[in-house]
Amino acid sequence: MKFFVDTANLAQIREANDMGVLDGVTTNPSLMAKEGIKGVENCKKHYVEICNIVEGDVSAEVIATDFEGMVREGEELAALHRNIVVKVPCIADGIKAIKYFTGKGIRTNCTLVFSPGQALLAAKAGATYVSPFVGRLDDVASDGIELVEKIVDMYRYYGFQTQVLAASIRTTQHIIQCIEAGADVATCPLSAIKGLLNHPLTDIGLAKFLEDYRKVNG
Ligand code: G3P
């Protein structure tokens, strides 16, 4: 399973990349706003900065919600860097825009997906990635991981090439569940990725190794 980091924070992207396990980055308008990035030109500059840090796909989301606007913005975003993936909301004009981008060889990430039916439409339009939002389904007492499983099964059954990119990942346990569900990618907060390292037996074992080494070597 590939790891993307779900942030527009350059320091966190650098830290994840320096760990050597980063395969890409996803952003959204909320994450860009959190970093205080305002205006179209500044957003574009920021996407290029991200692309210069990580060698992997970087999702940049359109703001327009009509077909023409999404096409215009998406083409501008895709022209910024070869690793940009245009992120498009799962609405009727978004599906139409994904179909258009597919025809132009522009890669897409269909976002805000909450049902297998939405994921089917994204795949039929040729989306490169589909993003089921795990945590937000859990927030409304639904089962986000179950949606990931259903989409993975559906894509395998019908032979769709669209990759399942589990999004809205909140915890380290979500990452483990995504592996079990067969997700192609999980886009995660850096803290959840680092959480994979935590095991008390590792800490206890390392302390004992060092203690025994010092007993003999001083
Ligand atoms: O990738 C989508 C993600 O950023 C949404 O996460 O935690 O806002 O539901 P969250």
Side-chain angles (χ1 to χ4, degrees), residues 113-116 119 132-135 137-138 141-154 164 166 169 174 177-178 180-183:
V113 167
F114 294 95
S115 75
F133 274 35
V134 173
L137 277 170
D138 288 1
S142 194
D143 189 337
I145 292 295
E146 187 181 287
L147 175 63
V148 174
E149 286 166 356
K150 283 185 180 171
I151 298 172
V152 167
D153 288 349
M154 173 176 62
V164 181
I169 296 295
H174 272 156
Q177 290 172 314
C178 285
E180 289 165 357

Side-chain angles (χ1 to χ4, degrees), residues 63-96:
I63 302 298
T65 53
D66 63 299
F67 172 74
E68 287 78 14
M70 284 191 241
V71 164
R72 192 174 49 250
E73 276 183 42
E75 286 184 331
E76 284 178 19
L77 290 170
L80 291 175
H81 193 281
R82 67 182 186 287
N83 287 349
I84 291 282
V85 173
V86 179
K87 203 169 180 188
V88 177
C90 193
I91 56 178
D93 275 23
I95 297 297
K96 194 172 154 189

